[in-house]
Amino acid sequence: MSFWVIVLLLAGSFSLGTLPLTGWVVRLLSGKKLSELGTGNISVSAAFYQGGKQAGIIAVILEIARGIIPVITAKILFPNAPVWQLVSLILLVAGRYFVAKGGGVTNATWGILVYSPIIAISSGITGLFIWRFSYLLLPISKYSSRLWASRLGCLSGPFWVWFWHQTPESPPLSPGELVAVMGLSIELVMINLAQKDDLGLYMKQQFFALENKLNIKQCGEKATRLSELKRAGFKVTLGWILPAINRLEDVNISCKKEIDPINFPLIVRSSAVGEDSNYASAAGQYQTIGPVYSASELHEAIIQCRQSYWTPEAISYRQNQQLPDMGIAVLIQPYLASEVAGVIFTRNPLDGGSQIIIEALPGGAESVVGGQFTPIHLEIEINTSIDDLELPDILPKTVILELVKLAQEIETFYHGLPQDIEWCWDGVKVWILQTRPITNLHPIWTRTIAAEVIPGVIPPLTWSINRPLTCGVWGEIFTLVLGKKVAKLDFNQTATLFGSHAYFNATLLGEIFTLMGLPEQGLEFLVRGQKMGKPPIGKLLPSLAGLWRLIQRERHLDQDFQEDLEQLFLPILQQLEAELSLESLTLTQLLERCETIQTILKSATFYNIIAPIGLAIRRTLFKVSDSWIPTQTAPEIASIEALQTIANNIRETFKEPEQITHESFNQILAKNQQFETWLQTYGYLSEVGTDISVPNWLEQP
């Protein structure tokens, strides 16, 4: 009986440790996933710094309870064998670290307090003593001394267990108990060495250089985009980034030697996570400070910039945009004394038109974006000359030409996404200060692919039928590839109607490309029909199984169509032909017939969408020219060729074809068996096959 009780105690302790209680609390209260933030640890310190004070307090209470429960249980079950209290705590911490991804320090601290208050207090005092005096006497940081105090405090545990058991009133120390407490101490130290600490993430702030590849979650969109442009060879100044933190408290900042205002005046700018994103610009929400001339001014400017993240206006803006509080990075760059500064819109921001908009004012960029002065405004049609424009005196023609070129190059660099670019001219060079998508032009709609799948003019009635079919099939295709990842995507937004023509949502399809691990050029492929680069293997691997399922469906398209033709399309069409004429059907019967037709239309739409895509991919991969495609087999072309043959045969029956009148031709045609056969074969076609309101040839021969 005792053996099974021990087994249940130890198994229960380990299982209790595996529960991600802290992660659940933070997810419930803040919506954040701790495994994807900071160090990725599901720890109490992470709960405070990532989830906020309320989440942190609740997490502490739960972890205290988790540490106490197995020790109290063991103490009740085995009052004369304290070794099981320590062993159950060891297993709890193991489950916490290996499964729940936490450190277990809070659990162990309170578990030891229940096991022996005097040993817990002694170890704690040892840690505090080491922390206090190592920080004062040794050349290490406060953060490093805290870590060593924690580790050495744990390692002092076995000494204090041995020491207090030497007192006369204490029971003798069993070897098993000493081994268990040593095991627990070593386990905690090993976890402490292996895990990164979220407090350390913020106390040991590291600067990143702008020429390095940056993590957008650490450095924000503004700095990350500037880094991308700088590494691509665009004119972006030097820069350093202090990573994002999601709290207001100050931290110890040790600036690199090269970030010295003595070398050149500096400017401190915000790069909040979510700022300058595809859907929110946050323009004017966060503070820019400059020029900065001293180290003390730089430190104060960094604090001031971070504090601007927590102003009521900034918090209200994020709430209105439904943006979580992900933190603010700080971007530090040399201050440019510009002669002229301004913004470029690579597309007209009002309607997405093909004009490049340039706005400029003398002085710094803040005068343009601040809105206090009216800038010079130029609208330049893409790929046209600027000779006919009235050019401003403040900007030479060469600078305007360079700005136009930069606008086109940066938009191309971002795969056709229209950009809002801040720039300045220092009298010699044009510098890029930042770039962001023009948020009010999202989503981007494209005729590429749509022109093949849904060609021609489409009336609203026809679109009301076509749109659910098209969107539904796209959803089916991408669900096949991505599975549960598509849960947040709204496939009803896949297609829309502009000017009676169908357009596909290139922005949504670009998101799907990213989810599938395909390269970003996939959006350019959709928008401009250009080639798509090789996908990065690491991102593609998770989607390989789904992509293989789609490839298999496409490879068996002929076979599947034949099955659907025999088992679905022909039986339903024959059934519809055998039923009563439309005039004799009741309203209920008409609606039933509509639903039946809708069923086969959905299956037909799948083939109409996936077949052209499969053809386009094959043609690209195998470099197939147009002349190799057997277009004569297409019904539209075959029908015209057959009609030409009938026309030639009719001409031959007349000795003088020029005497043929419209009336005589119709009389001959009505009696022509070849034409009747042609009409029965191709009469289902019409001028616009996707428009049900256009009569087909059989209805109007």
Side-chain angles (χ1 to χ4, degrees), residues 252-263:
N252 292 326
I253 302 166
S254 178
C255 292
K256 291 185 175 182
K257 184 169 61 177
E258 57 265 38
I259 316 177
D260 190 343
I262 296 173
N263 296 331

Side-chain angles (χ1 to χ4, degrees), residues 475 477-488 491 546 549:
I477 290 171
F478 291 124
T479 302
L480 184 68
V481 177
L482 296 169
K484 294 180 180 179
K485 289 183 184 177
V486 301
K488 295 182 179 179
F491 288 109
R549 287 193 297 269

Side-chain angles (χ1 to χ4, degrees), residues 141-453:
S141 67
K142 188 181 291 187
Y143 168 69
S144 297
S145 67
R146 187 183 72 85
L147 288 178
W148 282 107
S150 173
R151 292 162 189 165
L152 295 175
C154 289
L155 289 176
S156 72
F159 166 77
W160 289 114
V161 169
W162 173 83
F163 178 81
W164 289 113
H165 274 280
Q166 305 309 307
T167 58
E169 61 273 12
S170 298
L173 177 65
S174 69
E177 190 175 355
L178 183 60
V179 169
V181 77
M182 288 176 66
L184 178 62
S185 300
I186 293 170
E187 179 186 41
L188 290 172
V189 171
M190 294 300 291
I191 290 174
N192 185 272
L193 289 170
Q195 270 194 331
K196 293 180 179 179
D197 185 14
D198 276 77
L199 178 60
L201 181 69
Y202 299 113
M203 292 300 291
K204 291 174 68 179
Q205 287 278 291
Q206 298 293 323
F207 281 90
F208 298 109
L210 204 56
E211 55 264 8
N212 297 332
K213 187 175 182 179
L214 303 179
N215 183 331
I216 201 166
K217 291 184 178 179
Q218 285 183 309
C219 300
E221 279 83 350
K222 182 188 293 180
T224 304
R225 291 179 195 277
L226 283 176
S227 168
E228 291 168 347
L229 292 177
K230 187 170 182 62
R231 287 183 287 114
F234 289 94
K235 292 176 183 175
V236 176
T237 67
L238 298 171
W240 303 270
I241 301 94
L242 198 59
I245 63 171
N246 184 19
R247 62 195 188 102
L248 189 55
E249 292 89 343
D250 187 20
V251 296
N252 292 326
I253 302 166
S254 178
C255 292
K256 291 185 175 182
K257 184 169 61 177
E258 57 265 38
I259 316 177
D260 190 343
I262 296 173
N263 296 331
F264 32 67
L266 298 173
I267 187 166
V268 177
R269 308 168 65 198
S270 67
S271 182
V273 179
E275 179 184 6
D276 295 338
S277 67
N278 287 353
Y279 302 100
S281 68
Q285 296 300 321
Y286 310 121
Q287 206 158 357
T288 296
I289 303 101
V292 171
Y293 294 100
S294 68
S296 60
E297 283 183 14
L298 175 60
H299 189 271
E300 187 62 35
I302 291 171
I303 295 172
Q304 194 176 339
C305 182
R306 282 180 164 167
Q307 286 175 335
S308 69
Y309 189 77
W310 297 106
T311 62
E313 294 80 13
I315 294 171
S316 175
Y317 174 83
R318 291 196 297 274
Q319 290 174 345
N320 291 336
Q321 295 292 323
Q322 298 181 332
L323 295 172
D325 296 333
M326 297 293 287
I328 184 169
V330 177
L331 172 62
I332 303 167
Q333 291 179 283
Y335 182 84
L336 293 171
S338 58
E339 289 191 14
V340 183
V343 295
I344 314 172
F345 299 100
T346 64
R347 290 286 187 275
N348 192 319
L350 298 179
D351 58 8
S354 59
Q355 303 92 5
I356 291 175
I357 310 296
I358 298 177
E359 294 187 342
L361 276 174
E366 64 276 359
S367 61
V368 182
V369 299
Q372 290 90 355
F373 305 96
T374 303
I376 291 163
H377 182 89
L378 289 176
E379 294 187 7
I380 303 169
E381 284 290 339
I382 295 173
N383 299 324
T384 60
S385 172
I386 66 169
D387 293 335
D388 298 331
L389 291 176
E390 186 177 342
L391 301 180
D393 296 332
I394 63 171
L395 276 180
K397 181 179 178 181
T398 54
V399 174
I400 294 174
L401 288 172
E402 185 177 355
L403 290 172
V404 170
K405 184 184 176 190
L406 270 174
Q408 293 174 312
E409 288 176 347
I410 291 175
E411 183 179 284
T412 300
F413 181 76
Y414 284 108
H415 317 300
L417 290 175
Q419 297 291 303
D420 170 0
I421 304 163
E422 286 187 28
W423 58 273
C424 74
W425 178 55
D426 62 4
V428 180
K429 293 180 180 179
V430 173
W431 296 96
I432 303 301
L433 303 179
Q434 73 181 69
T435 185
R436 58 190 172 215
I438 302 176
T439 52
N440 63 306
L441 292 186
H442 281 265
I444 296 170
W445 298 94
T446 175
R447 281 284 287 157
T448 306
I449 300 180
E452 297 290 332
V453 176

